[in-house]
Amino acid sequence: MSNTETHTFQAEVSRLLDIVAHSLYSEREVFLRELISNASDACDRLRYEALTQSSMQTANQQELVITLTPNKEQNQLIVSDNGIGMNKQELLTNLGTIAKSGTGEFLKSAREKTDAPSLIGQFGVGFYSAFMVADEIEVRTRRADEKQGWLWTSTGHGSFSLSPCEKEEAGTSITLKLKDDAKEFLETSRLKEIVSRYSDHIAFPIRTAVDNEGNQEGMTTTLNTASALWLKSPREITEDQYKEFYHHNAHAYDDPALTLHWHGEGVIDYRALLFVPSTKPFDLFDPQRRHHVKLYARRVFITDAAEGLLPPYLRFMRGIVDSEDLPLNVSREMLQHNPILAKISTSLTKRILGDLAKVAKDPEKISTYETFIDNFGAVLKEGLYEDRDHKDLIFNLCRFHTTKTIVDDGRMISLQTYVERMKEGQTQIFTINGTDRGTLMNSPQLEAFRDKGIEVLLLTDPVDDFWLAQVGDYMGKPFQSVTKGAANLENIKTSQDKKESHDSSRDEQPPSTEIEAFINEMKNILGQEVSDVRASKRLTSSAVCLVASDSDIDINLERLLRAHKQLPQGGVRRILEVNLSHELVKTMINLQKSGDTRDSFSDLAHLLLDQARILEGEPLPDPAAFAQRMTSLLAKKTAA
C-alpha cells in the first residue's frame, strides 16, 4: 500500500506558478540564486540550532556546504545542502502555501508585470522560480533532529505529492528535471558564472563535482569565495557586490537605494551592513511592524526577528548586524532582555539616523533622498511620538510639502527651512491635514493664509494626526491646525499688508447689531447641528467653512477615527464660520433684518451648513432635504 499523499496547491500558489513559470522573468538564471539563498538559510539555521539545542549538537559535526550537481545524461541539476532540512509539516507549509501577507497584491502586480523583477523575493516564494527551467521538481529532505525523510514532487500544474523516503544525511536535495531549452544550466562554466555574479558572498562554500571537461569525476571545485562581506572594509567592496549581497540577504530584486556599512567599536564591538530598499516592501504597513535585519554573533546566524534590535519606525531597513560581544549560545528568548543588544540597538539607531542626515544634506543626493522620503517618510514619522530620545534627529530628517512648495518647484522642505521662512510676527507653524494635497490646496480654511502669503504644511499621511498631537512644537514654535481654533493673523506682517487694500466694497461689513442678530438667528435655526456660529477671519472668497474648537480633536483626525469605528457616526459638532463680506451672507443678513422671509432664511442657513460639509468631504446627514431646499430656492429664483 502506497504512503504517497497528493495535495492541491493553495489557489494563490497555482496562479503564482503559472505567472512565474511563463511570464514574470526575462532572466531565468535567477532561479539558482533563490535556491542557493534558501540552502544558505538552512545551513545558517542548523548552525544556530546546534548551539542552542542539545538534540541538534551532533548534527553539526561536518562542514556545512552547498553542492551543485549537473547530470547531463539524465538532464538534471541537483542543488543540495546539509543544513537543517524540513519535516513533513514544514514541507506542506513552505512548498504548498504562501502564508505571507500581501499575497493578493503580489499576484495583482505580477499579472500586470509592474516592476516584475522586484516582486517575488519580497514574499519568500523564490523556490517557485525553479519552474521557469524545470518540467518537474523533486525535493528530498530530512530534518536534522528527525529520522524520517520526505519526498516532495510536483510538475507545477496544480498539485504535488508527498511521501516518506530514506535519506542518510540531514538536509535538502532539490532535483530539477530541466526543460529542453534549459540545458545551459548543466554546463559548469555557466553555473560558475551565475554563482560568481549572484552568490559569491554566500558564507558557505558552493561546490560542484567536475573535471576540466565538465564531467563528474568525484572531484570538487569551489565556486564562491565564501567570505562574510560585512567583515571587509568598505574600500574592498564594489557596488555590484553590495547589490548582490542585498539581493541575497533581503531576497529582493530591486537595487538598494542606500548602503550603510560600518564597524562600531568602543564599549560594544559590532559590524553592520544595512540597506534602504529603493521600493516599498509589501509588508511595510503590516500591523506587526517587524524589522528584517538579521542578527549574527561572530558570523553565526542567530535570528532574523530580534525584538528590539531596531525600533519599528526603521523597519524598512534590510541587512546584517554581527557582534563579537554576543555569546554564541544566546537564545532568542534571552535576547529580549540582553543588555548588549540594547546597547547595540541604541548605537544602530543613532548611526542610521546620522547617516540618513548626511544623505539629506548632500546636494548630489537630493533626488535619492526625496525617493526615500516618498517611500518611507510616513514610517519614519512614527518615531516622532515613539522615540523621544531621537525626536530632534527625526525631525531634521522629515520633509514636507507646503502651500508654497506645491506652487513653486514641488520639492519638499525641512521644518528648519519652514521656520526660516516664517513671516514677521508669526509664532506658529501652521498645518492642514487631509488625504490629498490637491484637495487641501482648495480648502476654504487656507484663503486668508494664501492671501497673506503665509506658508502652511500640507500633511497627508495618516500618522501626521498622531505625532502632531504628541509633539506639540518644533524649536519652540507650536503647531497650529488652520482647521482648528480661531485664525488670528493680525499680528503677522507680510508684503501684502504694505500694498493697497482690497476693494473696499468687498470688505465693507454690516453694522455690529445686524451681525449679532444674524449670528443669533443662525444659531437658533441650526441648533444642535453645530457647536457655534461665528464670523470668520480665515475666509476671503468662500461663504462658510467648518472648524474645530481649540478643545476638540482636529477634523481630519475625527474622520480617521470614525472610519476605524473609534468614534460614533455623527461625530463631533463643529463651529460654522461665515464670511461676512460674502454677497450671499449679506443677502441673508438683509433677509433676517426684514423679518418676513423666515422660510428662505432657514433654507439658506441649512444649505450653507451642507455646503461647508461638502467642502470638508463629509457625507450629508439628509441628502433628500438638501435637494428639496436647493430645488425650492432655484424655483423661487427662476420665478423672480
Side-chain angles (χ1 to χ4, degrees), residues 55-286:
S55 61
M56 290 285 195
Q57 288 176 359
T58 59
N60 193 25
Q61 301 299 316
Q62 58 185 340
E63 179 188 25
L64 294 172
V65 63
I66 301 165
T67 304
L68 309 181
T69 307
N71 187 324
K72 292 184 178 180
E73 291 184 1
Q74 298 187 31
N75 198 35
Q76 294 178 351
L77 175 64
I78 303 173
V79 180
S80 59
D81 67 75
N82 55 350
I84 195 166
M86 290 177 281
N87 58 27
K88 180 181 179 180
Q89 186 56 50
E90 288 169 335
L91 272 173
L92 288 170
T93 301
N94 296 336
L95 304 187
T97 64
I98 304 176
K100 305 263 180 163
S101 61
T103 305
E105 283 295 319
F106 166 78
L107 290 167
K108 179 176 181 293
S109 298
R111 279 193 293 268
E112 296 172 355
K113 300 192 75 172
T114 304
D115 194 23
S118 68
L119 295 174
I120 202 166
Q122 300 183 52
F123 293 90
V125 294
F127 167 80
Y128 300 116
S129 64
F131 281 105
M132 291 188 295
V133 300
D135 288 322
E136 184 178 0
I137 299 177
E138 291 183 355
V139 179
R140 194 177 296 268
T141 184
R142 178 170 71 83
R143 207 173 193 278
D145 57 351
E146 296 188 5
K147 300 293 186 182
Q148 181 63 63
W150 294 94
L151 175 64
W152 181 100
T153 306
S154 178
T155 59
H157 294 144
S159 65
F160 62 91
S161 64
L162 189 61
S163 61
C165 72
E166 295 295 326
K167 193 174 189 308
E168 291 186 11
E169 291 186 348
T172 301
S173 178
I174 301 174
T175 301
L176 309 179
K177 297 182 179 180
L178 297 177
K179 297 179 179 180
D180 290 338
D181 62 352
K183 292 183 178 180
E184 63 182 286
F185 301 111
L186 297 173
E187 301 295 334
T188 304
S189 58
R190 183 75 170 107
L191 296 176
K192 185 173 183 179
E193 175 192 351
I194 296 170
V195 170
S196 177
R197 178 181 302 175
Y198 295 118
S199 307
D200 193 57
H201 56 273
I202 297 292
F204 303 98
I206 304 171
R207 294 175 180 158
T208 187
V210 296
D211 64 6
N212 293 332
E213 300 296 325
N215 300 312
Q216 297 177 42
E217 265 191 5
M219 299 177 60
T220 61
T221 181
T222 302
L223 303 178
N224 65 322
T225 58
S227 62
L229 198 69
W230 62 90
L231 298 181
K232 294 183 177 180
S233 167
R235 293 189 298 271
E236 302 174 11
I237 306 172
T238 66
E239 184 178 352
D240 286 341
Q241 287 176 315
Y242 275 133
K243 287 181 181 179
E244 292 313 323
F245 184 84
Y246 165 73
H247 294 156
H248 158 70
N249 178 263
H251 289 278
Y253 282 77
D254 63 324
D255 289 336
L258 295 170
T259 300
L260 312 178
H261 186 188
W262 70 84
H263 181 194
E265 296 179 284
V267 178
I268 302 294
D269 188 286
Y270 72 94
R271 295 176 185 268
L273 177 51
L274 303 174
F275 304 92
V276 177
S278 57
T279 59
K280 292 181 184 179
F282 282 113
D283 62 349
L284 184 64
F285 293 103
D286 186 283

Side-chain angles (χ1 to χ4, degrees), residues 514-528:
E514 294 180 8
I515 292 173
E516 183 178 354
F518 162 73
I519 288 179
N520 287 334
E521 187 67 14
M522 289 284 289
K523 291 179 181 179
N524 290 333
I525 291 172
L526 297 178
Q528 295 300 307

Side-chain angles (χ1 to χ4, degrees), residues 557-569:
L557 179 56
E558 178 200 347
R559 188 181 297 119
L560 286 172
L561 294 174
R562 200 164 63 235
H564 288 84
K565 303 187 185 305
Q566 299 298 308
L567 283 177
Q569 296 299 320

